[in-house]
Every structure is written in C-alpha cells, then in structure tokens.
Amino acid sequence: MNGTIRVGNLFGIPFYIHPSWFLVLGLVTWSYSGGLLAQFPQLPGGLGLLLGLMTALLLFASVVAHELGHSFVAIRQGIDVKSITLFIFGGLASLEKESKTPAEAFWVAIAGPLVSLILCGIFTAIGVTTPVSGPIAAILGVLATVNLALALFNLIPGLPLDGGNILKALVWKITGNPYKGVSFASRVGQIFGWVAIASGIIPLIFFGSLANVWNLLIGFFLLQNAGNAAQFARVQAKLDGLTAADVVTTNSPIISANVSLREFADEQIIQGWRRFLVTDDDGQLIGAVVADDLRTIPTTQWSETEVKQIMRPVAASTTVKSDQPLLEVIQLLEQQKLSALAVIRENGVLVGILEKTAIIQLLQNEPLANPA
Ligand SMILES: [Zn+2]
C-alpha cells in the first residue's frame, strides 16, 4: 500500500500504518467520547475524550489481534507474513504465498474471525462477571459489539473478505482446482461490492442522504479487490504447469565464444539482436556480448579477435533453471526489474533467452486453461 508508515514489529512481523488510519482514529475517538459524554453527563470533558481515545485504540488493537490470528496460522503452515497494515477499512495481513491445501487455506481464513469472536466473548465475560459499571461497562459493551461486528462482516462470503477465502477453500476442496475457488469467491465478492454500492447510492440519489456513503466506499473497495483477485487467479490458472523452458524465444541470440568478431558482426546484423549470450564448446553459458562493444575493437582486428575476448560476465541472478515454474519466473522479473533472463538446464547448458514480452503475449493470446 502506498504511503504507509512503518511503526515497528509485532511478533517479528513488520507493522505498518496508513495515514488514512489517523483520520479514522480521530473520528472514532471523537464519536465515542461524544457518545460517552452524552450518556454520562457528570463525566469531565477531558476524561471523556481520554476514554474515547482509549476505546478507539482498543478497537484498533482488536483489528490487529484479528490480523495476528490469520498470521499465526499462516506461520504455522510455513508461510511468511510480509506485513500487517492498518488502514481506513481495517487491517490487512500480507502473506508471502497461498496455503498448499484447501483445508490449510480454510484455517488461515477462519482464524481472524475466530479471534474476533473470542475477544467479543472475553469483553462480554468481563462486563458480566466483574462489578464494573458506568463508562467502563459501556466501553466493554462497545468493544464486545465491535468485535462481533468485525467477525460477522468479515464472514460475508465474498473475496477479499475472510468469508470469501473460506468460500474459495470450499470450492477448491470440491473441484480440486484452487483457481476455480478464487474465481467463484471473487465473483460473489463483486456481487456484494455492487450491493454495498447500491445501498450507498440509492439513498443519496433519491433522498440526498449521505447516511450510507460509507457503504459506497466499502463497495468500491470490495469491487476493486475482488476484481484483482479474479484477474490474478486467471493469470495463475493460465501459467499453472508451465516452466521457463516453455516460453524460451525460438532462435535465441546465442553465439559461440570461439567465433571471430567479424562473424559476430554479421550474425548481429542478420538477427537484429543487440545482446547475445555466449556459450563454450559444451553449450554452457559463460557470458554475454553486446553489439556496442564491437566499437572498442578496431574493425581491422575483427577477424583475429574472438568473442570471448570482449564478452562480459552474466550475473547468476539473471539466469533461471529451465524447469522453474513460470509464476516464479515472473516474480523474479518483477523483483529484479529485468526484461529478459537466460534459461539454463540443470547441467548448465544454455537453452535460450526468456523475454518478459513473451509472457505478456502468452497471457494475452492463449485461451483460458481453466475457464470457470
Ligand atoms: Zn480477516
């Protein structure tokens, strides 16, 4: 998320807050202290404000606890939690990867709402079993209610909500296909998104009422995220089972280390590539040569100079194994901001070059592998 501020670690997980969160903190503090002061007029204004702030912070702590619920279950499955972020619509635990089985995905998804339900139970129990009264009892009631609402809202069965992830796991379990699960659950999420938008827009248009404007915002948020999830699933479905070797460019720019610069210059003109991968007699990748480097050698010496004399080393980070899954290759291209990678077999023999554009073409042209 853009513009988030890192505020430290929670159990080793980087913890971020989006600036929009402070706006919500202010609004929640203001509305709860206002509510408390109206309910308990004898309360000094400063104390009311302080209690309002404390309530708001406890509400956000509840949201964090919910996200930690997801995170701990994910960590137990060997999944890294990249971050927990608080933002205008609540919290978000960003997981490094998906669970391996539908059952595991189910447990990650349900863990958050379970934590919220448990917190609701704890706040209710404290309110009922201890002799608290007045503002503290009211705050406990609010905390219990909000945690219950947090659990129930998140259980709405559409992506990106937890209920959507539970639905995804169920469809995955039934069909044996994780992408069908995402596709179905994100479609349901889009329906809920439209319902939320309609519930915000209808009062606005017909009665000029802003009462449900929040629904409108939530609706757009759901719609956008459900759409992203569906698109990501389509990409994954299409690339599933493919490896780096499947998108290697035919007639890749490969040149033997022993050829002369004269031959290289001719080859370069015929093929039109700017950069060639250089192989030894066994076909192993040993470097790369760029057409511009020809200029460093006088033309008169091109016949007796070999490519290996002007070649540059190739960083291991710009090569991939031919059997590497294409999804991992895309991540690598994104992380390293590369447009091409050299593909090599297990034994070090060069297969060819893999270009980012080839993957983009594949995604645009090929029919869906798993139409859902
Ligand atoms: Zn959740």
Side-chain angles (χ1 to χ4, degrees):
M1 219 174 296
N2 291 332
T4 52
I5 305 158
R6 177 142 182 197
V7 284
N9 286 317
L10 286 171
F11 303 95
I13 303 165
F15 179 46
Y16 293 85
I17 289 180
H18 190 266
S20 62
W21 177 84
F22 292 101
L23 178 75
V24 182
L25 178 70
L27 282 173
V28 172
T29 303
W30 183 60
S31 87
Y32 278 115
S33 52
L36 281 173
L37 289 169
Q39 206 179 341
F40 305 98
Q42 74 281 16
L43 212 62
L47 186 60
L49 203 64
L50 197 69
L51 288 174
L53 177 66
M54 194 188 81
T55 312
L57 289 174
L58 281 170
L59 291 179
F60 285 113
S62 300
V63 173
V64 172
H66 174 111
E67 298 307 324
L68 282 173
H70 293 302
S71 304
F72 288 153
V73 175
I75 289 169
R76 279 198 57 183
Q77 295 175 9
I79 298 168
D80 233 19
V81 181
K82 288 190 287 190
S83 62
I84 289 180
T85 307
L86 280 183
F87 68 117
I88 193 161
F89 295 122
L92 183 77
S94 170
L95 307 182
E96 154 235 6
K97 59 179 184 210
E98 296 269 319
S99 298
K100 283 194 209 72
T101 66
E104 287 186 337
F106 171 82
W107 286 113
V108 171
I110 197 123
L114 276 181
V115 168
S116 299
L117 283 176
I118 291 168
L119 284 174
C120 168
I122 290 172
F123 287 125
T124 308
I126 296 173
V128 170
T129 58
T130 59
V132 289
S133 60
I136 301 295
I139 290 172
L140 282 170
V142 165
L143 289 171
T145 310
V146 169
N147 273 289
L148 181 64
L150 204 58
L152 295 181
F153 173 71
N154 274 291
L155 285 171
I156 291 174
L159 279 175
L161 299 169
D162 297 334
N165 277 305
I166 292 169
L167 181 62
K168 174 192 85 177
L170 291 177
V171 176
W172 178 2
K173 177 81 185 165
I174 293 164
T175 62
N177 184 331
Y179 314 121
K180 277 195 178 143
V182 179
S183 179
F184 186 79
S186 56
R187 214 153 286 177
V188 178
Q190 283 169 322
I191 293 170
F192 279 109
W194 283 117
V195 169
I197 288 173
S199 75
I201 237 170
I202 289 170
L204 189 67
I205 292 176
F206 292 101
F207 311 107
S209 158
L210 287 169
N212 285 350
V213 80
W214 188 247
N215 292 18
L216 195 67
L217 294 177
I218 293 265
F220 279 119
F221 171 76
L222 292 182
L223 209 57
Q224 191 192 1
N225 280 275
N228 288 348
Q231 195 185 5
F232 188 60
R234 274 197 292 276
V235 169
Q236 281 186 310
K238 214 178 260 192
L239 300 182
D240 194 28
L242 294 178
T243 64
D246 293 318
V247 277
V248 167
T249 305
T250 41
N251 302 322
S252 287
I254 300 172
I255 196 124
S256 164
N258 303 325
V259 305
S260 70
L261 293 190
R262 166 65 50 209
E263 285 170 275
F264 171 54
D266 293 343
E267 198 64 26
Q268 195 265 314
I269 288 163
I270 295 165
Q271 293 203 23
W273 293 89
R274 304 297 301 160
R275 182 174 175 270
F276 280 66
L277 297 168
V278 181
T279 53
D280 64 9
D281 292 338
D282 300 324
Q284 304 258 335
L285 176 68
I286 55 169
V289 62
V290 182
D292 291 343
D293 289 348
L294 279 170
R295 287 199 222 123
T296 59
I297 310 287
T299 346
T300 47
Q301 293 172 30
W302 279 12
S303 299
E304 57 266 28
T305 312
E306 290 183 343
V307 160
K308 62 169 166 273
Q309 289 167 267
I310 64 162
M311 80 180 178
R312 305 161 177 217
V314 170
S317 60
T318 63
T319 68
V320 280
K321 289 275 183 286
S322 54
D323 58 358
Q324 193 148 355
L326 208 46
L327 273 168
E328 289 177 25
V329 173
I330 291 174
Q331 281 174 351
L332 197 70
L333 285 166
E334 293 298 320
Q335 277 163 14
Q336 313 247 9
K337 309 228 180 302
L338 296 169
S339 59
L341 289 163
V343 180
I344 46 182
R345 282 202 197 95
E346 203 59 59
N347 57 14
V349 170
L350 179 67
V351 184
I353 194 167
L354 181 158
E355 293 172 290
K356 195 174 173 177
T357 49
I359 300 177
I360 294 169
Q361 248 164 26
L362 177 85
L363 288 175
Q364 285 170 344
N365 299 337
E366 206 150 290
L368 275 176
N370 289 301

